[in-house]
Amino acid sequence: MISILHLSLLLGLRSYTVGTDTAQYVSFYNNQINFNGNGSAIYIFLEKIIWRLFGPNYHVFLFILSTITIILIVLAFSNFSRRYEFIFLNIYIFISYYFYFESFNAQRQFLAISVTMIALVLLNKNRWLLSLLLIVLATGIHSTAIIMLAAYPIKYIKKTKLNFFLVCIISAIFGLSSNQLTVFFSHLFSHYNMYTNAIGLSSRGGSFFLGLFIFFMLILGVYFSDILKDQEGSFLVFLTAIGSILYMVGMQSQLIIRVADYFLIYATISIPIVIYKVSKKFIQSKIVYLFLSATVMIAGIVILIYKLSGNLGEIIPYTLH
């Protein structure tokens, strides 16, 4: 509850100058302009409700959407993480690996991501219809959420090392086909024409190395633990693997990175499980657990310093006014 309160306040009370796209969101809210024309009907509906209840106070608008986002993400953490100590690493990775700070910029997408996370919580409990309904709602918030339909076949394929690498190969092919992906999304949602032959829309911020580190941790789990025998853990590992591969091969495409975030966000949950599973294979399991946890935490500090030093997402200087 403290984490939800703290993260929601910090994210929700920011000025419109904090986050690359925040000024645009606030402008559309204050002037009641429909955002992007298509692929955002649910987002526009939420915006209209907040406007009718609270008027042109953009801080309330940002705070409500931010609070919903954080609550749903932390609920996903608590549903997927079966051990109390995992929650600390869940939130630590969420912040230090820059997912949290990305939500300052890509507010609408991270609201959609949070809804898809709850959808997969329900899928994990075999509540198909409600899960699919949430995917539809998420797509109405940010059209890229439609990509999470891929999680449904992944949930039910046999989790073997061979299938793990087949999924990785398919993900790499998908990531290398960024031009075709752009055309596909452009046909479904016209506003994605902005990515077609666009200049200056490549991803920045060491995406390759972040994807590589997370993929290395997953390989550690696949080869040195029994995580593939764990129905829930293996599902999360497969999802995270897709995101890590897309981060590595799609680093030149902002659209691929946006799509990858829907999958890589599960690194916040899968990495603590991998660490726990691997450590259980050793006699000195507590020492191994602490060593691997420290490695992940130090990597997070390096990532956070690197990205904040480049002011990625234009988070600095943070202000409430």
Side-chain angles (χ1 to χ4, degrees), residues 16-24 104-105 204 311-315:
Y16 69 91
T17 62
V18 179
T20 308
D21 295 339
T22 308
Q24 185 182 44
F104 282 71
N105 173 30
R204 301 181 299 141
N311 197 16
L312 301 185
E314 299 182 14
I315 311 302

Side-chain angles (χ1 to χ4, degrees), residues 182-225:
T182 302
V183 172
F184 170 74
F185 272 105
S186 297
H187 282 306
L188 290 178
F189 310 101
S190 60
H191 56 274
Y192 282 98
N193 285 322
M194 65 178 285
Y195 291 99
T196 305
N197 299 320
I199 299 174
L201 287 177
S202 62
S203 171
R204 301 181 299 141
S207 299
F208 177 83
F209 294 105
L210 176 57
L212 181 64
F213 176 76
I214 292 175
F215 187 67
F216 171 78
M217 294 300 298
L218 298 179
I219 292 293
L220 199 64
V222 169
Y223 274 96
F224 294 96
S225 79

Side-chain angles (χ1 to χ4, degrees), residues 189-314:
F189 310 101
S190 60
H191 56 274
Y192 282 98
N193 285 322
M194 65 178 285
Y195 291 99
T196 305
N197 299 320
I199 299 174
L201 287 177
S202 62
S203 171
R204 301 181 299 141
S207 299
F208 177 83
F209 294 105
L210 176 57
L212 181 64
F213 176 76
I214 292 175
F215 187 67
F216 171 78
M217 294 300 298
L218 298 179
I219 292 293
L220 199 64
V222 169
Y223 274 96
F224 294 96
S225 79
D226 60 353
I227 196 165
L228 293 183
K229 296 179 182 178
D230 182 325
Q231 185 177 6
E232 183 178 282
S234 60
F235 177 47
L236 295 169
V237 164
F238 271 58
L239 292 175
T240 309
I242 294 172
S244 63
I245 293 295
L246 291 179
Y247 254 59
M248 287 189 282
V249 303
M251 60 181 177
Q252 296 301 319
S253 169
Q254 191 182 81
L255 180 58
I256 292 292
I257 297 301
R258 281 183 175 270
V259 168
D261 281 334
Y262 285 94
F263 296 95
L264 200 69
I265 189 70
Y266 294 97
T268 57
I269 310 170
S270 62
I271 288 180
I273 296 175
V274 165
I275 290 173
Y276 177 76
K277 290 284 188 179
V278 171
S279 65
K280 285 298 179 182
K281 290 294 182 179
F282 294 86
I283 297 175
Q284 300 293 335
S285 59
K286 288 186 177 180
I287 294 175
V288 175
Y289 181 82
L290 288 173
F291 172 78
L292 292 175
S293 297
T295 301
V296 168
M297 292 175 69
I298 291 169
I301 293 172
V302 172
I303 292 166
L304 188 62
I305 291 174
Y306 171 74
K307 293 204 170 191
L308 285 179
S309 66
N311 197 16
L312 301 185
E314 299 182 14

